Amino acid sequence: MGTVWQDLRYGLRMLLKHPGFTAVAVVTLALGIGANTAIFSIVTAVLLRPLAFEAPERLFIIWETVPRKGILDNPVSYPNFRDWKERNRVFEEIAVFR
């Protein structure tokens, strides 16, 4: 344990002896910690928290299919979406996102 304290004291003396290096090291650490915190906050908000809906297990994505071309997940055009919304008798609500 004595050598740990001796190493810490030596490290502090070297940091005080070279203030330019110390400032660069502190700024680098601060930027790294700040960036890490920002990325973690975004990942937590987007990926880890549940969706802001009462029953997220009841959400579905609806795709158009074009079997003759082998397309199984074709995005829906806006006119088709409007048609589906007007004729909907199955779902509570239909929305579109991009």
Side-chain angles (χ1 to χ4, degrees):
M1 193 68 175
T3 57
V4 171
W5 289 115
Q6 186 178 3
D7 288 344
L8 285 174
R9 283 197 324 262
Y10 177 74
L12 286 174
R13 277 198 317 267
M14 289 298 110
L15 288 175
L16 291 173
K17 188 175 179 181
H18 303 286
F21 173 78
T22 303
V24 169
V26 168
V27 167
T28 302
L29 282 171
L31 288 173
I33 292 169
N36 191 17
T37 302
I39 290 171
F40 179 76
S41 297
I42 291 169
V43 167
T44 300
V46 172
L47 298 176
L48 303 179
R49 286 195 186 142
L51 296 174
F53 295 99
E54 287 182 25
E57 68 278 358
R58 295 180 60 204
L59 294 176
F60 294 93
I61 296 178
I62 303 171
W63 299 94
E64 285 183 326
T65 61
V66 186
R68 67 179 178 268
K69 292 185 178 181
I71 299 173
L72 301 177
D73 56 356
N74 192 38
V76 179
S77 67
Y78 189 72
N80 282 353
F81 162 72
R82 296 289 305 204
D83 248 358
W84 290 2
K85 189 165 179 74
E86 289 172 13
R87 297 177 184 185
N88 174 38
R89 302 286 179 263
V90 176
F91 300 107
E92 284 181 29
E93 193 65 42
I94 295 179
V96 66
F97 69 93
R98 180 176 181 172

